Amino acid sequence: MSEHSIYYEQYTNILKNELVPAMGCTEPIAIAYCAAKARSICSCPCTKVIVEASGNIIKNVKSVTVPNTNGLKGIEAAAAVGIVAGDPEKKLEVISSVSDAQKEELKSFLKSTPIEVRYLRSQIPLDIIITLETADGSNSVRIAGSHDHIIWMKHDDQLIYEDLNQEEEAPVIDTAFMSVEGIVDYAVHCDLESVKPTLNRQIEYNMSIAKYGLEHNYGANIGKVLMARKDSSLLNKIKAYAAAGSDARMSGCELPVIINSGSGNQGMTASIPVIVWANEKQSDKDTLYRALLVSNLITIHLKQGIGKLSAYCGVVSAGVGAACGICFLQGGDLHAIAHTLVNAIAMISGTVCDGAKASCAAKIASAVEAGLLGYEMYLNGQQFKDGEGIVTKGVENTIRNISLLAKQGMQQTDKEIIEIMTGCC
């Protein structure tokens, strides 16, 4: 291996840390997990629930269906099912096992227990505090920075648990060393035995929900709409499968997915197109594994400078990652992957996130198509050049520009979107 081999173990750890299972959209699931954790420290039933949430959490929970609630949407439903039926030991699969009796109990809880939602003015986009009031006092839990990162737990005002890194939004594993060159080097030389369990689970989970989405009616059925076209191209198929997974997930499908950068939509977008492409082209399994390393790590690399939640649509990064993975499947080297990335990211970096909902599936289809167009441009000797908009010389410099655009430049955009959607800013 090259000089990048010193980061070999870090890349493996990043994959294992990021590619984890979650059932349901991760923002309502984070609320359910926070609520379940708060309930776990209560000595008696709660009489009132207070949910404080940052604008991005409110935005992403407002319109998405919470699994295992018989079709309920919103913050109140997410908190309530976490309290009534959540298993905090399962973290982002906290409500994966909800019985029929618990679903009935959920109805009664929502009718009998006041749930107050407050806008939390926080500098951290992903920030949740849930307080359960009981006859024995109040119990509070705060999650911030990432969807399962508990930073403190309190009984009344007394700390019973505290993470000393509570104000950090940084990932648990340092990712500052990541580069496109290092990612490709890792993908080429990686001992696949160390990552096969992680990648096999991603293939199994994410393809299962994609197929399920095509077989059933969910959301706006974007996947089915695409498959109904008189278009038998592989491009149309990979768009349809990726979109169908989101159709199902945004509308409460109870199948788990493997997430990427805290997002199921990003996890599906980064993986499903690569898997479908490899199957259609009859690529060998090891080449598929290595292509998934490229797609997943490129997605993570692009997302690190942006943050978990922002006004910048996360599936843009994942669509670009998928295109880079497909480029690798087709024999593309570092030069080809870097040009694919820059071409693709230049096209769709203005796509905004206006919350988790049915239209996410359509954005996924658009992101995948833009990614593949970026690859086709490279194949035809075309590229967007230094000085054209946000594109600058060097793939890492362009990635830094995207980070600045998304994290700093779009802050006001984010506030306007949240105001339009919720009136809470």
Side-chain angles (χ1 to χ4, degrees):
M1 288 183 71
S2 72
E3 67 273 14
H4 296 289
S5 62
I6 61 173
Y7 299 122
Y8 185 100
E9 187 176 352
Q10 286 95 316
Y11 279 118
T12 301
N13 288 338
I14 286 168
L15 284 165
K16 292 178 179 179
N17 187 61
E18 291 285 354
L19 304 188
V20 295
M23 193 193 76
C25 178
T26 44
E27 280 72 57
I29 294 304
I31 286 177
Y33 174 51
C34 192
K37 200 69 178 178
R39 184 211 63 215
S40 73
I41 58 174
C42 289
S43 60
C44 52
C46 67
T47 55
K48 182 179 180 180
V49 181
I50 300 171
V51 181
E52 299 172 81
S54 58
N56 276 278
I57 291 292
I58 294 171
K59 177 179 73 173
N60 279 342
V61 182
K62 178 177 180 288
S63 303
V64 71
T65 303
V66 183
N68 275 327
T69 63
N70 289 328
L72 299 178
K73 294 182 179 182
I75 290 174
E76 293 87 347
V81 73
I83 293 165
V84 170
D87 179 355
E89 296 302 314
K90 294 183 177 180
K91 294 192 173 182
L92 297 185
E93 294 183 284
V94 59
I95 55 169
S96 59
S97 301
V98 180
S99 67
D100 289 341
Q102 287 172 321
K103 290 177 184 177
E104 288 301 312
E105 186 183 348
L106 173 63
K107 291 181 186 177
S108 300
F109 183 88
L110 284 166
K111 288 179 181 177
S112 63
T113 310
I115 301 177
E116 181 181 345
V117 178
R118 299 175 183 173
Y119 174 50
L120 180 61
R121 296 187 181 276
S122 171
Q123 295 302 308
I124 303 174
L126 196 167
D127 206 349
I128 304 164
I129 301 172
I130 293 184
T131 301
L132 306 187
E133 295 184 357
T134 75
D136 190 39
S138 66
N139 298 277
S140 302
V141 175
R142 184 182 180 193
I143 284 177
S146 60
H147 296 79
D148 59 355
H149 181 205
I150 295 175
I151 61 173
W152 52 249
M153 297 164 57
K154 295 179 181 178
H155 175 69
D156 291 331
D157 291 326
Q158 182 178 357
L159 278 170
I160 56 177
Y161 167 81
E162 183 178 22
D163 184 334
L164 296 178
N165 296 318
Q166 61 178 275
E167 297 302 328
E168 295 293 328
E169 192 183 353
V172 175
I173 298 175
D174 178 35
T175 58
F177 69 91
M178 293 182 76
S179 68
V180 176
E181 182 179 0
I183 289 167
V184 175
D185 184 79
Y186 172 78
V188 169
H189 296 100
C190 177
D191 176 6
L192 292 176
E193 293 305 315
S194 65
V195 294
K196 277 183 180 179
T198 300
L199 296 178
N200 280 331
R201 187 172 61 176
Q202 184 179 51
I203 293 167
E204 177 189 353
Y205 283 27
N206 293 1
M207 285 302 294
S208 291
I209 198 169
K211 292 173 182 176
Y212 198 82
L214 287 171
E215 293 166 356
H216 298 82
N217 289 317
Y218 282 109
N221 288 304
I222 301 299
K224 283 188 171 184
V225 169
L226 289 167
M227 289 298 279
R229 286 177 168 178
K230 294 180 180 179
D231 181 354
S232 59
S233 69
L234 182 51
L235 171 59
N236 192 63
K237 186 172 183 178
I238 64 173
K239 287 162 53 180
Y241 269 72
S246 181
D247 285 327
R249 190 163 183 274
M250 294 294 96
S251 296
C253 177
E254 292 161 12
L255 290 176
V257 303
I258 299 301
I259 65 176
N260 182 307
S261 302
S263 164
N265 279 337
Q266 288 160 210
M268 291 184 291
T269 307
S271 59
I272 292 170
V274 181
I275 299 163
V276 173
W277 188 284
N279 289 342
E280 289 291 311
K281 296 289 186 178
Q282 298 183 326
S283 301
D284 65 85
K285 198 66 174 285
D286 283 2
T287 303
L288 169 58
Y289 288 138
R290 296 190 190 280
L292 285 171
L293 295 178
V294 171
S295 61
N296 281 302
L297 287 169
I298 290 288
T299 301
I300 293 165
H301 183 36
L302 286 168
K303 279 291 291 180
Q304 288 310 305
I306 296 169
K308 296 287 186 186
L309 299 176
S310 76
Y312 184 95
C313 180
V315 300
V316 169
S317 300
V320 172
C324 291
I326 289 169
C327 175
F328 184 92
L329 274 177
Q330 295 294 105
D333 58 8
L334 171 62
H335 180 77
I337 289 168
H339 278 275
T340 296
L341 188 157
V342 172
N343 288 340
I345 208 75
M347 295 181 212
I348 50 172
S349 288
T351 306
V352 298
C353 172
D354 55 340
K357 63 209 171 308
S359 67
C360 291
K363 292 181 181 181
I364 286 173
S366 297
V368 171
E369 181 160 11
L372 264 292
L373 179 54
Y375 175 48
E376 290 173 21
M377 286 176 61
Y378 167 76
L379 292 176
N380 286 278
Q382 304 299 319
Q383 67 179 86
F384 298 120
K385 298 179 180 178
D386 175 31
E388 296 179 349
I390 57 176
V391 174
T392 192
K393 189 172 183 179
V395 63
E396 300 303 330
N397 292 326
T398 297
I399 290 172
R400 277 191 286 272
N401 285 351
I402 295 298
S403 298
L404 289 170
L405 168 69
K407 193 162 189 176
Q408 298 182 27
M410 297 180 75
Q411 284 184 2
Q412 187 58 38
T413 301
D414 206 24
K415 291 178 181 178
E416 291 297 334
I417 291 170
I418 294 167
E419 170 66 25
I420 289 167
M421 288 183 64
T422 67
C424 67
C425 290

